[in-house]
Every structure is written in structure tokens, then in C-alpha cells.
Amino acid sequence: MNPNPPENKIIPIIRQLIWVYFWLLLIEGALRKWILPGLSNPLLIIRDPVLVVIYILAWKAHVFPRNGWVVSLAIIGFLTLFVSFVPLWDYLYPAGIAFVSGYGFRSNFLHLPLMFLMPLVLRPEDVKKIGWWTLLLIVPMSVLMIAQFQASPDAFVNRTAGGEGEMITAGMGKVRTAATFSFVIGVVAYFSMATGYLVWAALNRNVYKNWLLFLSAGALVIGVAVSGSRSVVGACAVVIASLAVVLVLRRQAVNRLGQVLVITVVIGYLVTKTAIFKEGFTVLSTRFTEVAAASDQSIGAGLISRILENFEEGFYAMIRAPFLGWGLGIGTNAGAKYLTGHSTFLLSEGEWTRIFLESGPILGLAYIVWRCAVVVRIGWLCLVSVRANNILPLLLFSAGFLPLINGQFGQPTILGFAVFTTGLALAARNADEPIIKKPARAKTDAPRAKRIVGRRSAYADRLHRSAKRRDQSNGSADR
């Protein structure tokens, strides 16, 4: 029998296409802003043909995930797609309904199976190599962000998707820098993923070269400072905070923590002395202060309140939404562009609110419960990996679980990073060490077999009889 059946030769091709997906995720915004601004709208789905080919090849190679998560997602997705024709029938032609609802199906459902496929085809060395490029590319990313930070809001480097308009400002005449992405949300997702890889490599010897760690660490700190975004700070902080879970579950997994802290302090001290960091930190701290003053809350309470408001608004929308919703896809920017000619939020900027208003309280709730349940399940698996002396899955999961719960999937960059980072977290579990369980003690309740003693000599017999008599206790008579 051939040990390598023909379909196994397809798996390396799938790996290469996953790399293409990764590169397109990084340059998609640059294409839409600077290189091909006239094709900004079609480029929203530039990764979709690659994804479809991945699925076709995975099915042919018998590695397409057929678990309960994918099956239940398909059921919810196709039901939502078909039901959307009912509320939209009186307003759009069937072709228009198919376009708008099809884009909504693409945003909500099409990409999610990829995160279950990645661990089936990616090897530990593939996950490590993706991390190497992630850390290396954060250096030119930060250099570009510095250029955007220092340039005026109307400069070429600060154009938005389509080549027109300006980036959102952070304050003091500075923009929220977006690097190669369409919006700053891409920086949020990319920097949090890079933080996960950086922490993992710093706590494990010989993963990457020291020069790469030093360069990427300095670039990450400066990039966060000039981002002008509170979300970038919060996302990176969540990844670092996940080390507390590691310390509780398996402290020996971070045996270099003390050394890393010393190096971090040294690098941080050197970076904070640079002029660009000081200016960026001033803008960022001013933004934190202004937002806290406007909301009459502390900085920490303001961040928590901002997150909770999205969930509260979602539950309020669930009560008020039509039973069948307004139609899948009309709450996305692309759907709004098709319906009104302008890229905007027709229903709501909040993800849960959009889902309920599009799909109704029943199918919308089913989809949201699915997303929350899969986060809980994957989170549990990553905790198991920590017990198996592998902390990378938890670090990557901490970078992707919030977008997976409540991220705006209508925005392609958020969707792409939520799926890709979570898929990497699952693929990183392939490097788990086996958990050695202590062998169970043998039962002692079974009756012992009688010892067979051969015939003793007369001398030995007298010795045993005398020893037996001495074992008896007769009080003071024996003393």
C-alpha cells in the first residue's frame, strides 16, 4: 500500500494558501488605500476566493472539519440566508436580495470554519514561522505608523480606503495610525497577536533570535504609543494579563519570567527616552484623560463601561427586533453601500445589535450563542494546553477571543484576524507535551497468598516457637 495517498499531497498546497490568506490580510488595506483605490469595494472580498479554494482542496483531501461546531454553524447560516428573502422581498429584486444577504452570509459564516481547519493542516513549525514573520513585520509597520503620526491628517499616507477622506483623529492634530490596514482596528488585532508571539518567545529559549525579540519589542512599544488608540493598549494588555492564568496553572511554564522582566524594564527605559515615544505617549494619555473626563469616569471604568454598553445595547435590540429581522447583510458597510450608495452603518455600529436587527431574536440569538460557546470551548482547550506545558495557544487565544465574541464581522479585517488568530491558537496545540498521569496504586484489599514454607530444622523450629512466645503480652509477668 502507498504510505502517502494522493490526497495527502494536497495538504502542502492548503498550507501555502493559508499563507496567502495571511499576506492578503496584511496588505488588503494598503491595496484599498494607496495602490488600487478605485477597486476598494471589490477588494473587500480579496481573501474570499482563496478561502473557497482552501475549502475545496480540504474537502478533496478529507481534512475539511465536519465537527458539530461547523455543522451547527452551517444550519444557522443557511436558515438565516433563506429567511432573509422574506423581509426584503418587497424592497429589492431577487438579485439584489441575493447580493446583500450573500455578503451578510459571507461576513457572519463563511470564514469561521477556517479556524477549525487550520489545526488539521498546520504543523508546529508552521505556527512558529508565522510568528517569526509577524514579529519581523511589526518593525516596518511601526516605522510606517511613525510616518503617519508625524504627517498631517490630509497627507497621502493617511488616506482612507478608496483613496479619499482622512483617518479618525486621536487629538492634538494627530490621526489614529492604521499602518497598512484600512482602519486602526487592524493595528489592534495585529499588535495583540504579535504581543502573544513576543511573550511566548521571550519565555522560551531558542524560539527566535534575540535580535528579533529586541527589535520587535521596541517597535511594538513605539507603535502602541503612536497609535492614538485606547483599543491597541487594551488588546495588548489583555494578552499580557493572560500570564496570570499561566502562573496559576503551571508556574514552571514561565521559568524565565524574572529574566524577561529585567530585560523588559531595560528596553522600556530606552524606548521611553526617544522623542517619538514621548510625543506619542502625550497624545495617547491626553486621549485617555479627555474620554474619562467626558464620561465622568476613571480610565479603567470607562473602558469597562464601553465594553458593557455594546452588550446592553444588543440585548435591548433583541427585544425590539422584528421576528425575522430586517434582512441579513443590510447592517454591513457593503450592504449599506449597495442600498444607499454610501458606506455607513444602517442599523448599528455594535455587532450584537446588528445581528439581532438583521436576523431577528431567534436566529440572531442562536448565532450569538454559537460564537460565545465556541469561545468557551476553545478557551478551555487552551487552558488544557497550559497544563501540557504549552502557553502559546492561550496567548494567541487571548488576542482573538474578544473579536470572536463581539467583533464587527462586517469589517473584513476584524473578521480575518478573529478567525486567523483563533485558528493559530488551535494549531499551536499540536505542540502540546503529553500529560503524564500518575499510575493508580495497586489495590491492597485482595487476600495475600499464603507463603509456602519448606520443612524446618529442629533448631529453627525452636527459634520460631520462642519468638512467638515473646510476642505475647502477659502484663507484669513478662517483665
Side-chain angles (χ1 to χ4, degrees), residues 81-389:
L81 178 63
F82 295 145
V83 167
S84 294
F85 279 78
V86 177
L88 293 176
W89 190 261
D90 294 335
Y91 304 99
L92 295 174
Y93 291 108
I97 299 175
F99 177 83
V100 175
S101 298
Y103 186 83
F105 180 86
R106 171 259 178 206
S107 299
N108 286 7
F109 305 101
L110 182 62
H111 287 244
L112 289 174
L114 179 62
M115 64 186 181
F116 298 105
L117 172 60
M118 289 173 64
L120 301 179
V121 297
L122 292 182
R123 304 156 299 182
E125 54 265 33
D126 298 316
V127 177
K128 180 180 176 181
K129 189 175 181 180
I130 291 174
W132 189 90
W133 278 104
T134 299
L135 294 181
L136 180 66
L137 291 175
I138 203 172
V139 178
M141 284 277 190
S142 295
V143 172
L144 177 57
M145 291 171 67
I146 292 173
Q148 293 170 333
F149 178 80
Q150 293 179 329
S152 62
D154 60 348
F156 176 80
V157 292
N158 287 327
R159 285 186 178 179
T160 59
E164 300 177 356
E166 300 174 0
M167 288 292 176
I168 302 174
T169 58
M172 301 177 65
K174 302 297 183 179
V175 301
R176 300 184 203 178
T177 55
T180 60
F181 304 103
S182 300
F183 306 99
V184 70
I185 192 64
V187 176
V188 176
Y190 182 76
F191 272 49
S192 60
M193 185 175 79
T195 301
Y197 271 115
L198 182 61
V199 172
W200 171 65
L203 295 175
N204 293 272
R205 291 182 181 276
N206 303 323
V207 174
Y208 304 123
K209 299 294 185 180
N210 288 335
W211 66 263
L212 177 63
L213 299 184
F214 294 149
L215 277 179
S216 59
L220 188 144
V221 174
I222 293 177
V224 170
V226 300
S227 67
S229 171
R230 296 180 299 159
S231 297
V232 176
V233 178
C236 296
V238 168
V239 177
I240 297 173
S242 66
L243 283 177
V245 179
V246 178
L247 289 173
V248 172
L249 294 179
R250 194 173 182 85
R251 189 170 184 176
Q252 57 268 39
V254 289
N255 51 14
R256 295 184 65 197
L257 184 59
Q259 179 182 354
V260 170
L261 287 176
V262 174
I263 297 175
T264 302
V265 170
V266 174
I267 295 177
Y269 176 79
L270 295 176
V271 170
T272 56
K273 294 300 180 181
T274 61
I276 188 64
F277 176 87
K278 293 179 180 178
E279 186 178 4
F281 183 78
T282 300
V283 174
L284 189 61
S285 59
T286 301
R287 172 160 174 74
F288 271 95
T289 304
E290 289 177 349
V291 173
S295 61
D296 197 23
Q297 293 177 320
S298 65
I299 295 175
L303 290 174
I304 296 174
S305 176
R306 180 184 178 186
I307 296 174
L308 294 179
E309 284 176 1
N310 291 330
F311 295 107
E312 293 175 0
E313 182 184 351
F315 286 117
Y316 180 74
M318 180 180 68
I319 300 173
R320 301 178 62 88
F323 182 73
L324 297 180
W326 295 109
L328 182 63
I330 68 171
T332 63
N333 286 340
K337 181 77 172 180
Y338 178 83
L339 295 173
T340 67
H342 301 284
S343 181
T344 184
F345 295 101
L346 284 180
L347 299 179
S348 173
E349 190 174 352
E351 176 72 352
W352 282 20
T353 303
R354 176 188 70 85
I355 292 170
F356 282 126
L357 294 178
E358 282 188 350
S359 305
I362 304 301
L363 290 174
L365 182 62
Y367 176 54
I368 288 174
V369 168
W370 186 94
R371 282 171 63 167
C372 294
V374 79
V375 166
V376 172
R377 176 57 180 168
I378 295 175
W380 171 256
L381 293 176
C382 292
L383 292 178
V384 173
S385 293
V386 174
R387 298 290 297 173
N389 203 34

